[in-house]
Amino acid sequence: MGTWELYSTKVIPALNQGLWLSVLIIVPSAVLGVAIGVLAGAGRAAGPVWLRTLLDLYVSAFRGTPLVVQLTMWYYGLPGVSRWLGSILGPLGLPEFSWRFLVLSPYAASVTAFTLCSGAYQSEYIRGAILSIRRGQFLAAESLGFSRAQTFWHITAPVAIRRALHGCGNEIIYLIKYSSLALIVTIRELTGQSKMLASFYFRPLECYLLTALYYLALVSLATFFLGWLERRLRIPGLGPARAEK
Amino acid sequence: MTDPSVYGTPAPPGGDPPILEVSHVSKTLGGRLILDDVSLSLWKGQLKVLIGPSGGGKSTLLKCIHFLTIPDGGDVFLQGQSAREMGQRNICAFRQEIGMIFQDFNLFDHLTARENVAIALRKVKRVPRDKARARAMEELDKVGLADKADLYPAQLSGGQKQRVSIARAMAMEPKLMLLDEPTSALDPQLISEVLSVIADLARGGMTMLMVTHQIGFARHLTSEIIFMEDGRVVEQGPPGVLLDEGAASRTSFFCSHLTELTGR
Ligand SMILES: Nc1ncnc2c1ncn2[C@@H]1O[C@H](COP(=O)(O)OP(=O)(O)OP(=O)(O)O)[C@@H](O)[C@H]1O
Ligand SMILES: [Mg+2]
């Protein structure tokens, strides 16, 4: 088999398969991560004290421990908890799914781990953005009769999202790359696939280089999308005049 | 009544109940008594001016009237409706009825002038989008800014921002407007454009309570000056009496020093 043929019929299709799996992990994790970040960030910036404490605890747990450890716990750790729960709930006559749901598939474990970790970081950007909004904006909204929820959705969130956009975008770009950790829970996404190809065909340099290019393409795509979003959400009259060109 | 340029009357004609009644409001902030048993009333169409030294509690009083800050004691009645009895849930309905103009405008930075005016109509009053936008244009037109409707706050001058904020408050058809030093963040040449909009509102019969140090303006438009110091209403009465040359009032003493300091 010629080199060209090897790549076009074996390596590239296998990498494409890995790429697809990666995308399937990244997109939901990014979307859910941002959603959790917005809610947790809002709760931490303006929620009641008990909620703030709870969410601070969540963030310190997920920012304070390595993602590998978290992912391993979700996939390899939870089945133990499930068995223990089963030994209690089983004799009580409860249906099996009341403890079986804790046994996650590799895919579910990855998305859970990445979403929760990403959400913890995102919430920090959102919180900072909310805290930087002038008090007068809230006073004006309240004086017009906005309820707290209306103020949040129509005033706080649109401004906070704009200010947090750059941090949140950065976090999504990190996520694209740390999604490769899914290989430790047996998922053959992009990195997992290339690891296997590299050892199977004894071509580590080429395989990893190609993989790097794939990631670069993904990140470029995300960067392009974020740039488009930034331009769309731009508020005329803010920032240096040149930025409007 | 004798001078048609004076809006409102000190006494209620025919014993009508006041639109606004502030009753024994007190407020402690940071361990200090900021408002000490403040009471005042406004009747329909009146414009009353609140003046007094910095830190006297004027801004705090306006916020308490709006229940943006909840007073510790006392109550506020709008057309007889007690704000305290509205409770947390309905206080938004109470606030809708009162417009507030801030010293630093507080326009929503992420919305155009038109959207700034329309958003509360759409989200709070549930007016359909097109109608709200048309209404917003009407209000902007009244303050002379129809041609600036699509600009963002960062693209407007201070005077224009304040006029948009007046349009935003007026679009909600409030029963009462509270104005907290609406011109004190403006350059002298921009002050008159805002004051003339406020004078238009007064002529249109809007009930207003305004904090201002524009004594000349106040003297011409108001029927009553309320002088506040250290959280208390010290004096109130018609400008002719309080500001008279040689009147031995706290107000005239304060205002003469104000003129000395600012040259206005
Ligand atoms: N949140 C707060 N916590 C503690 N003290 C406050 C707070 N808000 C206002 N104060 C104090 O209340 C006093 C009255 O403030 P207020 O802003 O009502 O005065 P003002 O009459 O509007 O003054 P100015 O003419 O300078 O605007 C001031 O001494 C101020 O320091
Ligand atoms: Mg003030």
Side-chain angles (χ1 to χ4, degrees):
Chain A
M1 195 187 290
T3 311
W4 171 244
E5 216 185 327
L6 172 71
Y7 281 102
S8 64
T9 62
K10 304 277 186 223
V11 177
I12 304 269
L15 283 180
N16 286 347
Q17 234 172 39
L19 174 69
W20 178 236
L21 261 177
S22 284
V23 169
L24 284 184
I25 292 171
I26 292 164
V27 172
S29 303
V31 172
L32 292 173
V34 168
I36 288 184
V38 169
L39 295 177
R44 291 175 69 212
V49 176
W50 64 267
L51 183 65
R52 227 180 285 184
T53 314
L54 208 71
L55 291 171
D56 283 349
L57 227 63
Y58 153 67
V59 173
S60 45
F62 283 81
R63 276 202 318 173
T65 55
L67 182 54
V68 189
V69 174
Q70 293 171 29
L71 180 57
T72 313
M73 301 265 261
W74 289 116
Y75 186 63
Y76 296 103
L78 278 188
V81 179
S82 168
R83 267 197 303 283
W84 171 79
L85 209 63
S87 72
I88 295 172
L89 298 180
L92 295 176
L94 277 116
E96 209 177 334
F97 69 76
S98 62
W99 64 86
R100 284 291 298 185
F101 78 95
L102 283 176
V103 182
L104 301 180
S105 73
Y107 178 74
S110 311
V111 173
T112 307
F114 299 153
T115 298
L116 289 175
C117 177
S118 184
Y121 282 96
Q122 300 287 26
S123 82
E124 196 61 6
Y125 296 113
I126 301 281
R127 185 175 77 102
I130 292 176
L131 291 179
S132 78
I133 299 175
R134 282 178 300 131
R135 170 93 30 101
Q137 301 276 302
F138 304 112
L139 277 180
E142 278 179 47
S143 79
L144 289 163
F146 281 75
S147 68
R148 281 181 145 222
Q150 285 168 334
T151 305
F152 179 73
W153 287 116
H154 304 303
I155 308 300
T156 316
V159 176
I161 282 171
R162 282 174 172 90
R163 291 200 188 163
L165 187 62
H166 310 92
C168 292
N170 225 6
E171 175 59 26
I172 288 175
I173 284 170
Y174 271 125
L175 167 66
I176 291 176
K177 287 168 292 174
Y178 64 63
S179 71
S180 61
L181 284 181
L183 78 92
I184 67 166
V185 293
T186 73
I187 293 191
R188 290 231 297 265
E189 44 66 74
L190 199 42
T191 307
Q193 198 73 322
S194 83
K195 189 171 176 234
M196 190 207 65
L197 290 169
S199 53
F200 191 80
Y201 294 110
F202 297 110
R203 293 183 187 235
L205 180 66
E206 295 91 326
C207 284
Y208 282 121
L209 247 164
L210 260 174
T211 309
L213 285 177
Y214 271 63
Y215 277 107
L216 198 61
L218 272 181
V219 169
S220 305
L221 204 70
T223 309
F224 179 80
F225 170 70
L226 289 165
W228 172 82
L229 207 60
E230 182 181 336
R231 278 191 301 280
R232 269 205 59 143
L233 295 180
R234 207 187 146 72
I235 296 167
L238 295 184
R242 279 185 191 191
E244 301 207 345
K245 299 275 157 59
Chain B
M1 298 296 263
T2 48
D3 181 355
S5 66
V6 170
Y7 294 88
T9 48
D16 282 346
I19 282 204
L20 173 75
E21 191 184 342
V22 178
S23 164
H24 305 288
V25 162
S26 61
K27 180 77 191 175
T28 303
L29 282 170
R32 265 187 56 220
L33 189 60
I34 307 295
L35 292 179
D36 182 6
D37 194 32
V38 175
S39 298
L40 55 90
S41 305
L42 251 89
W43 277 266
K44 189 164 173 43
Q46 276 190 321
L47 177 129
K48 287 194 182 180
V49 163
L50 194 58
I51 60 175
S54 180
K58 303 179 297 293
S59 299
T60 310
L61 175 62
L62 291 198
K63 279 187 211 148
C64 281
I65 292 176
H66 218 155
F67 261 60
L68 293 171
T69 305
I70 315 283
D72 298 331
D75 200 351
V76 175
F77 299 87
L78 190 69
Q79 290 189 321
Q81 168 67 58
S82 149
R84 232 176 247 295
E85 280 170 15
M86 300 288 277
Q88 265 298 314
R89 194 166 294 274
N90 294 318
I91 197 68
C92 298
F94 177 87
R95 290 189 183 132
Q96 266 181 61
E97 312 264 17
I98 305 179
M100 177 86 130
I101 302 300
F102 301 89
Q103 181 174 354
D104 44 4
F105 329 125
N106 291 336
L107 291 182
F108 302 126
D109 295 328
H110 64 297
L111 300 175
T112 61
R114 189 207 318 248
E115 283 302 311
N116 259 282
V117 181
I119 189 157
L121 287 174
R122 282 172 52 202
K123 305 301 177 188
V124 178
K125 289 209 159 171
R126 308 262 171 222
V127 175
R129 191 190 165 88
D130 289 342
K131 271 179 97 174
R133 286 169 68 94
R135 187 68 222 281
M137 282 310 289
E138 265 172 50
E139 290 298 333
L140 284 174
D141 196 37
K142 281 188 204 158
V143 298
L145 288 173
D147 57 327
K148 304 277 189 251
D150 292 320
L151 294 185
Y152 285 80
Q155 299 171 304
L156 298 171
S157 76
Q160 291 167 343
K161 278 189 241 192
Q162 194 59 295
R163 281 145 69 198
V164 173
S165 95
I166 291 172
R168 176 176 72 175
M170 288 303 292
M172 297 296 281
E173 298 176 354
K175 303 219 165 72
L176 166 75
M177 288 274 265
L178 305 173
L179 302 99
D180 192 358
E181 303 196 42
T183 57
S184 56
L186 299 177
D187 288 342
Q189 68 268 31
L190 298 178
I191 290 178
S192 62
E193 70 181 51
V194 172
L195 288 184
S196 85
V197 167
I198 294 169
D200 281 348
L201 293 186
R203 259 174 237 123
M206 191 70 220
T207 313
M208 290 188 275
L209 180 60
M210 175 173 176
V211 179
T212 186
H213 292 145
Q214 300 289 321
I215 302 303
F217 174 81
R219 193 198 277 271
H220 275 100
L221 273 174
T222 187
S223 57
E224 188 163 305
I225 288 180
I226 302 169
F227 184 78
M228 250 187 104
E229 191 169 26
D230 293 331
R232 257 177 298 217
V233 173
V234 179
E235 283 175 344
Q236 50 184 323
V241 175
L242 289 185
L243 297 176
D244 217 11
E245 295 285 327
S249 66
R250 287 284 301 124
T251 313
S252 78
F253 180 75
F254 173 74
C255 291
S256 61
H257 279 261
L258 203 65
T259 326
E260 251 167 49
L261 288 174
T262 62
R264 280 177 205 154

